Amino acid sequence: DISASVGTPFYCYSTATLTRHYRAFESALNGVPSTICFAVKSNSNASVLRSLGELGSGADVVSEGELRQSLAAGIDPRKIVFSGVGKTPREMAFALDSNVGQFNVESQSELQSLNAVAQGKGVRAPIAIRINPDVDAGTHDKISTGRAHDKFGIAWAEARGVYTQAADMEGIDVGGIAVHIGSQITELRPFEAAFTAVLGAVADLRADGHDIRRIDLGGGLGVPYSGQNPPSPKEYGDLAKRIVGGLGCELVIEPGRAIAANAGILVTQVLH
């Protein structure tokens, strides 16, 4: 029926599958304040974003384009996290004007740039600083993002001082800490190491006088492509709640492929 209506080729997505996967993460974090921010990089289809937004999902975006797509899909800007190592001042300005809920700051230079843009607008940018916990996710080299030599995040040895600088900036509201160690992770051990690092970091930051209210645990939970047996959302959620669930923070997670990877098919027609 769809092919008769729109022709081929087309992507067909299952709302039931998207819903089931989203609800699995929602259930996994039951009992703690939490927000699920779908990683738009994994699938930016407008209908997919709209379907997830209607379920209450937020969005994890890495560009103005992804932010615009999320807003157009009706996702609450207060549930949007702006991540990524390459935010331009123009993108920062648009995100501030859109009232996004959180910027995940990846470097000291980005922090200074964001502060300048926010001051120019007379507002304060809500931030979490992404720390690099030096954890090997055990996944493909090109999608590992939490090791010391990866370009993402700030090493904890430096990050504590960056938090101190951020607290003195007029255009910055320090409210969280973020971590993301990679994608297509098929065991709990790397998550446990990263979450434990965050646990210690929150204690240190609070001792320094910072009001840490949000913990962004990133995404990365893998899916079974060919023989893999990744943890379930419940196992992932139970681990997160056990390690950082007692800190009195809102937990933010950013699943992507674990929600969307097997929710669609490409429909084509044999011509010859």
Side-chain angles (χ1 to χ4, degrees):
D1 290 342
I2 296 172
S3 64
S5 173
V6 304
T8 57
F10 65 90
Y11 287 104
C12 180
Y13 293 99
S14 166
T15 306
T17 301
L18 293 168
T19 300
R20 183 173 68 251
H21 292 173
Y22 178 82
R23 295 297 188 208
F25 280 103
E26 193 175 54
S27 175
L29 293 178
N30 186 43
V32 296
S34 59
T35 301
I36 300 167
C37 295
F38 177 69
V40 176
K41 66 176 73 68
S42 68
N43 191 318
S44 59
N45 179 279
S47 295
V48 169
L49 297 180
R50 190 179 311 112
S51 295
L52 290 169
E54 289 172 354
L55 294 172
S57 178
D60 165 48
V61 305
V62 297
S63 68
E64 181 180 333
E66 289 186 355
L67 174 54
R68 287 182 180 274
Q69 287 172 297
S70 301
L71 294 172
I75 292 177
D76 184 347
R78 294 167 297 180
K79 291 184 176 182
I80 294 179
V81 172
F82 195 175
S83 304
V85 299
K87 307 177 190 71
T88 67
R90 192 190 84 165
E91 289 178 310
M92 293 173 179
F94 180 77
L96 287 168
D97 289 342
S98 301
N99 294 315
V100 299
Q102 178 172 294
F103 290 82
N104 282 353
V105 172
E106 302 252 6
S107 65
Q108 191 171 8
S109 56
E110 179 191 332
L111 177 66
Q112 293 167 346
S113 180
L114 179 59
N115 179 54
V117 174
Q119 278 189 290
K121 290 183 169 294
V123 299
R124 301 180 74 206
I127 73 155
I129 291 178
R130 178 176 175 178
I131 66 166
N132 184 316
D134 193 18
V135 170
D136 189 339
T139 186
H140 191 281
D141 184 58
K142 300 301 183 184
I143 50 176
S144 293
T145 60
R147 301 166 300 185
H149 62 275
D150 292 324
K151 68 181 180 180
F152 302 93
I154 303 173
W156 176 239
E158 304 169 19
R160 198 169 177 179
V162 176
Y163 269 96
T164 299
Q165 295 174 19
D168 291 333
M169 292 180 170
E170 292 183 9
I172 298 296
D173 174 21
V174 180
I177 185 170
V179 66
H180 182 80
I181 58 173
S183 184
Q184 188 51 21
I185 301 170
T186 56
E187 57 179 331
L188 286 176
R189 177 194 56 79
F191 289 122
E192 183 172 17
F195 297 170
T196 301
V198 169
L199 176 67
V202 171
D204 289 343
L205 292 172
R206 285 178 169 172
D208 291 343
H210 302 292
D211 181 19
I212 303 301
R213 307 180 297 276
R214 292 184 307 278
I215 298 175
D216 187 334
L217 297 174
L221 187 62
V223 299
Y225 285 114
S226 55
Q228 298 95 340
N229 186 30
S232 68
K234 183 180 186 306
E235 292 171 313
Y236 171 86
D238 285 347
L239 179 72
K241 288 190 290 187
R242 175 171 63 82
I243 297 176
V244 297
L247 291 174
C249 292
E250 175 191 2
L251 301 187
V252 179
I253 62 170
E254 300 163 354
R257 81 174 74 207
I259 288 178
N262 74 336
I265 57 173
L266 173 63
V267 180
T268 64
Q269 179 182 180
V270 176
L271 299 177
H272 303 287

